[in-house]
Amino acid sequence: MITISLCMIVKNEEKILARCLDSIADLVDEIIIVDTGSTDDTKKIAAGYTDRLYDFTWIGDFAAARNFAFSKAEMEYIYSADADEVLDGQNREAFRRLKETLLPEIDIVQMYYTNQLSFGTIYNFDRELRPKLFKRLRTFRWQGAIHEQVGLMPVIYDSEVEICHMPEDNHKDRDLAAFARMTQDGVRLDKRLHTIYARELFISGEDQDFVQAGPFFESACLDTERDVDEIKEASCVAARAARITGDITKFFKYAMKVTACDGCAEICCELGAYYVGIEDIDEAVVWYYNAAYETESILNVRCSGEIPLRGLAQCYRMLGDEAQAAEYERLAGERAAAGN
């Protein structure tokens, strides 16, 4: 049986920390909790589960905090958890079986992260595999009878363990503020962070967030090292920011960039909202219909479901067709219940 270190970074998690630890504490061999500046009873609660409690001065870098926590681990494997995660009874048993049977050549175990759509997170799916269990010290071996080489790729195992994500609130204000600081400081976001920033804006951003992000995404549209997908994402954000500020020339500039690249549901919704705003309802119907039925979303799955259907309901209500409006409201409700 393998041994496991639970490593967590926390801050002001007094409401949910015990719930998390109660679901996992007896399945691991040591618990390491790194506090990044709590002002509530988080550290007091943590001390009830472990004496491996450390302070880490927050420097605005989650990776640095997690690396510090990992550096304190002494077991064979490290399980990385957040305070808003919970293992239910069935998955506790699955985790226990995994611990008992895991082959030593496995470097990383992925587990299913679930319940994403219930809390307005940055993800457009309710269940996805994530790396959660890591071998603390990797063993490098030569491979190949001839032309031998050292195996560098980790051996990954996709388990059936499901971790329920149950946050107390949405972290969008914290995340968007962090992105704004990074971009204002001239940090060039890599492809992954570029997508996450754009996605979080479209899922939970408010008008002021788009306006603040506009200049960065406008510059991203001119970045010759960005690929087509990144240009589409950046153009969607820039178009929304321009529509909010009333810069119509700029709005159509970025909207057309997206339509020239096969379009997407997000920009169709933007065009629908624009035409509603100038009371060209027939044209708004065209674009909302395209969002709902003819294009796919790239940032927020609701842009190809609930959002344009509610837009169509609004349009038909403005056209005096209450029956059609009610039908689209019904369809929107169904899509909302399904998470999209």
Side-chain angles (χ1 to χ4, degrees):
M1 180 187 298
I2 64 168
T3 57
I4 299 175
S5 301
L6 169 62
C7 287
M8 302 178 67
I9 59 172
V10 297
K11 181 179 180 181
N12 293 336
E13 303 286 8
E14 65 177 5
K15 294 181 180 179
I16 57 176
L17 181 58
R19 181 185 68 186
C20 172
L21 290 172
D22 285 343
S23 76
I24 191 66
D26 62 322
L27 300 176
V28 298
D29 300 280
E30 69 174 357
I31 298 173
I32 295 161
I33 297 181
V34 172
D35 188 272
T36 61
S38 293
T39 56
D40 62 5
D41 284 337
T42 293
K43 292 174 68 174
K44 180 179 179 181
I45 293 168
Y49 293 85
T50 181
D51 58 0
R52 304 288 303 279
L53 181 59
Y54 303 90
D55 290 311
F56 182 83
T57 301
W58 181 244
I59 56 174
D61 188 331
F62 284 97
R66 290 200 189 279
N67 286 334
F68 177 76
F70 273 35
S71 74
K72 301 299 181 181
E74 298 177 355
M75 300 295 114
E76 296 169 284
Y77 283 81
I78 298 172
Y79 179 62
S80 179
D82 291 327
D84 56 10
E85 299 174 5
V86 179
L87 281 175
D88 63 18
Q90 178 180 345
N91 287 289
R92 277 173 45 79
E93 287 307 308
F95 192 103
R96 192 187 308 277
R97 290 193 299 272
L98 177 71
K99 183 179 180 181
E100 293 172 350
T101 60
L102 188 67
L103 298 175
E105 59 264 32
I106 302 297
D107 295 310
I108 298 173
V109 177
Q110 297 203 115
M111 301 177 184
Y112 283 100
Y113 214 61
T114 70
N115 207 36
Q116 293 288 78
L117 296 176
S118 299
F119 295 95
T121 64
I122 63 171
Y123 300 98
N124 287 319
F125 33 78
D126 210 38
R127 186 174 184 263
E128 65 152 348
L129 280 168
R130 287 190 182 183
K132 295 294 291 182
L133 188 66
F134 306 87
K135 195 167 191 177
R136 186 171 65 87
L137 299 175
R138 288 188 62 193
T139 301
F140 292 95
R141 299 180 181 277
W142 289 95
Q143 299 173 344
I146 60 172
H147 299 298
E148 69 283 356
Q149 63 180 5
V150 173
L152 298 177
M153 296 299 292
V155 179
I156 300 174
Y157 171 64
D158 295 342
S159 76
E160 290 301 317
V161 177
E162 292 189 350
I163 302 163
C164 188
H165 184 217
M166 301 177 65
E168 279 290 294
D169 51 36
N170 189 310
H171 298 307
K172 68 98 174 174
D173 290 335
R174 177 200 69 188
D175 294 347
L176 291 176
F179 277 122
R181 285 194 300 272
M182 291 170 66
T183 56
Q184 288 167 4
D185 289 343
V187 175
R188 185 185 188 278
L189 302 184
D190 62 20
K191 180 179 175 67
R192 184 181 71 90
L193 289 178
H194 184 278
T195 297
I196 289 175
Y197 190 11
R199 183 186 297 152
E200 190 149 14
L201 283 164
F202 266 87
I203 290 177
S204 55
E206 299 177 11
D207 284 359
Q208 66 267 24
D209 299 316
F210 278 92
V211 173
Q212 187 172 35
F216 167 76
F217 284 101
E218 287 181 28
S219 66
C221 289
L222 300 174
D223 188 338
T224 57
E225 295 184 9
R226 300 282 182 191
D227 62 26
V228 172
D229 291 337
E230 290 173 284
I231 298 300
K232 286 177 68 174
E233 295 165 356
S235 296
C236 285
V237 176
R240 168 74 74 86
R243 182 172 67 81
I244 291 168
T245 59
D247 190 332
I248 303 309
T249 300
K250 188 177 287 187
F251 169 69
F252 278 103
K253 171 184 176 179
Y254 292 108
M256 292 305 101
K257 282 183 182 293
V258 181
T259 55
C261 298
D262 298 327
C264 65
E266 284 80 2
I267 214 67
C268 289
C269 285
E270 288 303 308
L271 287 161
Y274 167 75
Y275 284 111
V276 166
I278 64 170
E279 298 185 2
D280 187 344
I281 307 305
D282 290 330
E283 192 66 17
V285 167
V286 171
W287 289 105
Y288 279 134
Y289 187 90
N290 270 271
Y293 297 109
E294 303 293 342
T295 55
E296 296 182 358
S297 59
I298 62 172
L299 295 168
N300 182 356
V301 68
R302 294 175 62 244
C303 287
S304 57
E306 178 192 359
I307 290 173
L309 291 171
R310 294 203 187 281
L312 285 166
Q314 177 190 12
C315 288
Y316 279 103
R317 190 161 286 117
M318 294 174 74
L319 292 170
D321 189 341
E322 189 58 42
Q324 191 65 64
E327 176 61 12
Y328 278 119
E329 286 285 6
R330 183 188 68 80
L331 293 172
E334 289 180 354
R335 297 298 289 272
N340 60 9

